[in-house]
Amino acid sequence: MLALLASVALALPAGAQSVLRVKPSSDVRVMDPHLGSDSMARNMGYMVYDTLFAVDADLRVRPQMVESWTSEEAGRVWRFRLREGLVFHDGAPVTSADVVASLRRWAQNDGLGQQLIARGAVFEASSPRDFSLTLNAPWGMVLEALGKPGAPVPFIMPERLAQTPASRAVTETIGSGPFRFVASEWRAGDRLVFARHAGYQPRGEAPSGLAGGKTPRFDRVEWMILPDQQTSLDALRQGLIDIAEDIPADLLAVLRRDRNIVIANQDALGVAQQIRLNTTQPPFDNPQLRRALLEAVDGRDFLAAVTTDPSQGRVCNSWFVCSSPWHTEAGWPRPNLERARQLVRDSGYDGTPAVLLNAAENTNINAFTLVADQLLRSIGIRTDVQAMDWATVVARRQSREPVGRGGWSIFISGPGGLDMMEPVSHLGLRSNCERAWFGWPCDAEIERLRAAFADAQDEAAKREIAARIQARALETVPYVPIGVQYQLRAHRANLDGLLSPPAPVYWNVSRR
């Protein structure tokens, strides 16, 4: 541990530059935030890129890169104008051609973007600052799509990079956000460095959530990759780093006794912890085995493995997080191990091991994976737990191969609560086969209902559709919810301006 602390100290640059040092939740393996739903790629994206719209602290959509917009033909045609002074980190001005190329690329991998495509979305640039969106029918969630904070976020990148196929990673990390990525100082598994973007012009409004003025008050922000939690907290207490994300519950007591440290929630919505199932490969291509696991899981047992403080997590027996207006527990089965065992016996299960990808560096994921392992074995399903870091899980979960050829059966993940709030952008419920989230659930009825929800004109109709989605997903079981958990962040007490939106961001932060 002393050697690791020494390496942190040695990494600190000399000179008069102001530097904010952060221990992020994990390393960043996916450097292209358009590629998928990885939360670390999203978090890095907010440092580097900007968005057309963003949600404020009350989750209201606000303009960001956009100066003005209009809606015509009952919402079938949208026209947008960019604000002046937008410039990429390579010095090129941001134009509507960059925006159009970025949105076309993003839409291919995102749930809301795919809904736009299904409605015939045509993005066109009419001048360097003006572009339009035309649909074949009105749709009431256009601004919600363009301002969504969940991965993949519709970040704007240069046209030359956005022309990269949506299935292949871009070769450079260049945006127009408040910080630029310093590629020459990136050391995978060690640190990522971001420098103040001198050409960035913040909006005039006060910062709120992910919206408003993004003012970089530090010359540099350095993400220090410290997999060992005790080492990172020792570094925090010694002032070698300023912020540590995702603090495990068993280390809170020590930090709370230190008057130089402040502990707070990273965001108000929490993360929707879940058991993600590979529905395309044995054993969980069998829906009866997925239902058996749903019958067996008691979220209280999982949460108890990481905390005894009820304020840090709660069970949500629904496909929609507890804070969602569409949350319902209708039809949810009570945990019943004997019923689960019977479902396994009746399923024709042939003993194929379930391969669990365990991000052992992460206290929560490791604990949840071990509880899932024991639970699976208790209902008669063989298991193979494979330990790795989160970055490796992110790479491995993309495999569609059988488990014997590098595939997988289960991984534990906690998408942000905002990604699990309503049916259209719901990361876990998407059931559009190869275009769904990892695990690739495939169900035409859920997809039809998700589209109907987006087209519904009143709350009563939306509520009825959400209830039907709940019932159908109880049959198909695209994943198994654990509960909502509130991630904690610790920081030095001399920091001001920390925000707590759905993704951790470090503009507007200053040191007293």
Side-chain angles (χ1 to χ4, degrees):
M1 184 170 70
L2 291 176
L4 279 172
L5 289 176
S7 70
V8 174
L10 289 171
L12 307 185
Q17 283 189 323
S18 59
V19 183
L20 180 73
R21 300 181 182 94
V22 180
K23 192 284 291 185
S25 297
S26 183
D27 196 2
V28 181
R29 181 65 64 89
V30 178
M31 301 298 288
D32 184 340
H34 281 176
L35 281 188
S37 57
D38 180 56
S39 61
M40 292 308 301
R42 175 204 62 186
N43 295 354
M44 188 204 72
Y46 274 113
M47 297 291 291
V48 174
Y49 301 94
D50 212 347
T51 56
L52 299 173
F53 294 86
V55 294
D56 65 14
D58 296 318
L59 302 183
R60 295 173 297 188
V61 178
R62 300 297 189 193
Q64 197 62 35
M65 299 173 73
V66 165
E67 176 182 282
S68 60
W69 69 97
T70 60
S71 174
E72 305 168 7
E73 300 184 28
R76 195 178 70 83
V77 178
W78 295 74
R79 304 189 191 280
F80 305 89
R81 184 168 181 80
L82 296 173
R83 61 189 180 98
E84 292 189 47
L86 301 175
V87 61
F88 286 114
H89 301 152
D90 60 2
V94 178
T95 70
S96 55
D98 302 306
V99 171
V100 166
S102 296
L103 294 179
R104 287 172 177 166
R105 184 174 190 265
W106 156 80
Q108 296 178 60
N109 289 330
D110 179 72
L112 284 174
Q114 291 165 6
Q115 293 280 349
L116 284 170
I117 292 173
R119 286 161 176 78
V122 176
F123 296 101
E124 292 183 302
S126 54
S127 82
R129 289 178 56 201
D130 297 282
F131 67 97
S132 64
L133 165 64
T134 302
L135 304 172
N136 57 24
W139 192 51
M141 299 188 70
V142 168
L143 297 186
E144 286 81 359
L146 300 183
K148 70 181 292 285
V153 175
F155 291 122
I156 305 305
M157 57 183 60
E159 180 185 20
R160 63 182 177 84
L161 297 177
Q163 288 175 337
T164 305
S167 60
R168 196 170 75 224
V170 296
T171 56
E172 299 175 75
T173 304
I174 296 177
S176 63
F179 295 95
R180 59 181 177 84
F181 178 60
V182 185
S184 62
E185 297 189 49
W186 174 37
R187 296 200 295 267
D190 181 23
R191 67 171 176 163
L192 297 90
V193 176
F194 309 90
R196 183 203 304 264
H197 174 27
Y200 187 76
Q201 297 183 20
R203 293 187 66 90
E205 302 94 339
S208 176
L210 295 167
K214 301 177 180 179
T215 303
R217 302 192 186 281
F218 283 89
D219 297 314
R220 291 163 60 96
V221 177
E222 298 182 356
W223 286 9
M224 315 300 292
I225 309 304
L226 300 171
D228 182 77
Q229 291 281 14
Q230 185 62 60
T231 299
S232 67
L233 297 191
D234 288 342
L236 177 67
R237 297 183 68 194
Q238 295 179 32
L240 297 175
I241 61 175
D242 300 289
I243 299 169
E245 296 178 359
D246 201 9
I247 303 301
D250 59 341
L251 296 177
L252 290 175
V254 174
L255 289 179
R256 284 176 173 148
R257 291 196 295 266
D258 191 329
R259 63 182 182 180
N260 295 313
I261 304 297
V262 174
I263 301 170
N265 284 358
Q266 285 187 198
D267 72 84
L269 293 178
V271 296
Q273 299 286 10
Q274 61 184 259
I275 302 172
R276 192 66 186 178
L277 303 169
N278 188 340
T279 68
T280 69
Q281 297 290 339
F284 294 113
D285 60 339
N286 184 332
Q288 195 157 334
L289 283 182
R290 301 198 298 271
R291 287 194 291 272
L293 184 56
L294 180 68
E295 293 266 1
V297 165
D298 187 335
R300 295 171 299 181
D301 295 336
F302 284 79
L303 293 174
V306 297
T307 180
T308 57
D309 185 347
S311 69
Q312 293 177 22
R314 58 185 296 196
V315 173
C316 292
N317 290 326
S318 173
W319 303 112
F320 306 104
V321 293
C322 304
S323 54
S324 166
W326 317 111
H327 174 83
T328 173
E329 298 191 2
W332 205 267
R334 292 180 178 273
N336 186 327
L337 289 179
E338 189 47 51
R339 168 67 178 159
R341 293 183 185 110
Q342 188 61 50
L343 285 170
V344 172
R345 289 192 292 267
D346 294 344
S347 71
Y349 173 56
D350 63 1
T352 299
V355 171
L356 284 69
L357 306 184
N358 182 19
E361 64 177 348
N362 185 295
T363 303
N364 290 333
I365 291 178
N366 181 61
F368 292 156
T369 303
L370 297 180
V371 173
D373 172 48
Q374 182 178 20
L375 185 63
L376 285 162
R377 288 187 283 110
S378 75
I379 63 173
I381 297 177
R382 295 177 58 202
T383 61
D384 176 8
V385 179
Q386 300 183 9
M388 58 197 71
D389 59 21
W390 174 248
T392 303
V393 172
V394 169
R396 175 86 172 269
R397 67 184 181 178
Q398 299 180 60
S399 173
R400 301 183 185 223
E401 294 292 328
V403 294
R405 295 206 298 266
W408 59 277
S409 308
I410 280 176
F411 68 88
I412 305 290
S413 184
L418 207 62
D419 292 326
M420 318 290 282
M421 188 76 70
E422 47 79 21
V424 182
S425 62
H426 199 295
L427 188 63
L429 279 175
R430 275 168 51 190
S431 298
N432 51 347
C433 310
E434 68 277 359
R435 302 179 74 182
W437 195 37
F438 305 107
W440 309 285
C442 191
D443 186 71
E445 178 63 9
I446 285 181
E447 289 304 289
R448 186 188 68 78
L449 290 169
R450 288 176 64 239
F453 183 94
D455 292 331
Q457 298 299 310
D458 61 77
E459 181 176 333
K462 287 181 180 290
R463 190 166 300 282
E464 190 271 336
I465 295 169
R468 290 169 63 189
I469 291 174
Q470 167 99 346
R472 178 61 180 169
L474 285 169
E475 298 176 9
T476 65
V477 192
Y479 68 96
V480 178
I482 291 172
V484 169
Q485 191 177 15
Y486 302 99
Q487 292 179 300
L488 298 175
R489 176 173 59 190
H491 65 85
R492 300 289 298 178
N494 62 351
L495 295 183
D496 288 325
L498 274 167
L499 300 168
S500 55
V505 295
Y506 297 112
W507 54 75
N508 295 94
V509 182
S510 60
R511 182 183 287 118
R512 292 193 301 273

